[in-house]
Amino acid sequence: MASAAADKQRTKFTLDERDIPAKWYNIQADFKTPAPPVLHPGTGQPIGPADLAPLFPMELIKQEVGTDRWVEIPDAVRDVYRLWRPSPLFRARRLEKTIGTPARIYYKYEGVSPAGSHKPNTAVAQAYYNKKEGVTRLSTETGAGQWGSALAFASQLFGLQCKVYMVKVSYQQKPYRRIMMETWGAQVVASPSTDTQAGKKVLDQDVNSPGSLGIAISEAVEDAATRDDTKYSLGSVLNHVLMHQTIIGLETKKQLEKADDEADIVIACAGGGSNFAGLSFPFAADKLTGKKKKLRLIAVEPSACPSLTKGTYTYDFGDTVGMTPLVKMHTLGHGFIPAPLHAGGLRYHGMAPLVCKLYDEGVIEAVAVPQIATFQAAMQFARSEGVIPAPEAAHAIRVVIDEAERCKKEGKRKTIVFNLSGHGHFDLGAYEQFLAGKLQDYEYPAEKIAEALRGVPQVKV
Ligand SMILES: *Cc1c(COP(=O)(O)O)cnc(C)c1O
């Protein structure tokens, strides 16, 4: 067909608004064995919907445990998605040329959302279901502010109040994302704050506490648990969050069809696992159902926080403080505190349980890469393709370039697809350090991990 031939020359593969998928994909439908249950930390027994009801709306709890393959995306959610979706798929022709690889490289660009990352894909859905069930206010935590800004945006569009507990060091050192959140109408406080008992307790011991994600989570959860009008919202890790993100991979598959191409290798960075799952799960479906056995799916993590590649697959707390239910995942130990990596979104001690199950079963691969090599990849990408990637996404780019180099050596024409999960416009401080030669690599923290793993609870299942 003439149009297909013409399409092969294209750089950008766009879809019409009508092509925004009507359903999310639930990978649990294609598992041969069910996902391990989530356990109550006190009793060690599987938790039920009632245990989660104070924190989440019922529809999201249903999605968390549901096994239907397809879940309808509500019209009101698709209407908001229209503001930036379908997001473009690019052929990275200039990057291919600088590498001199016979491989074809494509990237799905999620930085076109108002908040600049993939996170609004789930923030919008979560705000919608909360609104529908009569909730008027959401609480959450944020580190550097990527998740907080996504939820602030989504809350504003659905007329919900939004309270964000932002880790104090970031609050002080990274004001721009806070200003974004406030522009979208959220109330942002530095955590630890005097607004919660958890925050007060920390401040009583140390008025100058710089805060941590663990403390901020405790504050946000307490806020939701103690108010009738408020529920809690999480930006990664949970099954329903990963499912909302599958819109990325579903669009990508349609776009590759337009490009008359098929993926051989699918790559994304993994912090909590949501953007990796979002791109890769619809492809993993073809692997699980035996349609594409040779397809490679690669999650990329920092070597300073290597939960998949160096963690233990066991039950652990989801938060650093040890308040949440126990989930089975690859963990470095909930007490593990990674080095202050510039990819703030990749510093989680564990990994989404659904991603971990696939890794344990050998369906997906994982690679850990160091910080400096990651920024070198980010530079090569920015200087060929233009977009300045978020440091998180640059981890994926590192492995994309490595795989493309391998194709060059072996003379193979593979098709590589990766998720450019966000732009790096708020991370220029990190780029400044890299350009000044001041960025450092962190050793693999074997001892710290061993120590943190000793704190993992013993669970008999
Ligand atoms: C938060 C974030 C990540 C990491 O989170 P996942 O849940 O693993 O996707 C990656 N990239 C960007 C741009 C982010 O904002």
Side-chain angles (χ1 to χ4, degrees), residues 257-336:
E257 265 173 42
K258 274 192 135 183
D260 199 17
D261 212 336
E262 276 188 53
D264 298 305
I265 309 175
V266 174
I267 300 173
C269 68
S274 75
N275 89 88
F276 170 75
L279 176 67
S280 71
F281 280 8
F283 290 92
D286 295 337
K287 231 181 144 167
L288 290 170
T289 54
K291 260 199 274 177
K292 283 211 188 153
K293 292 199 177 121
K294 284 199 183 145
L295 184 62
R296 294 178 62 202
L297 311 168
I298 309 175
V300 189
E301 54 186 16
S303 19
C305 190
S307 49
L308 281 174
T309 51
K310 302 279 188 184
T312 305
Y313 189 39
T314 186
Y315 273 94
D316 196 7
F317 294 104
D319 65 331
T320 20
V321 183
M323 293 200 332
T324 67
L326 296 167
V327 290
K328 192 168 182 193
M329 61 181 174
H330 288 81
T331 178
L332 301 170
H334 63 277
F336 176 71

Side-chain angles (χ1 to χ4, degrees), residues 117-119 146 235-236 269-276 345-346 390 392-393 421-422:
S117 78
H118 64 290
K119 290 195 170 78
Q146 282 159 325
S236 188
C269 68
S274 75
N275 89 88
F276 170 75
L346 305 184
E392 288 85 354
S421 52

Side-chain angles (χ1 to χ4, degrees), residues 83-106:
L83 292 173
W84 73 96
R85 305 211 71 87
S87 66
L89 179 78
F90 289 90
R91 169 91 183 265
R93 294 183 189 277
R94 290 175 174 79
L95 178 65
E96 288 169 17
K97 215 175 265 172
T98 63
I99 302 169
T101 181
R104 289 182 292 270
I105 302 174
Y106 296 86

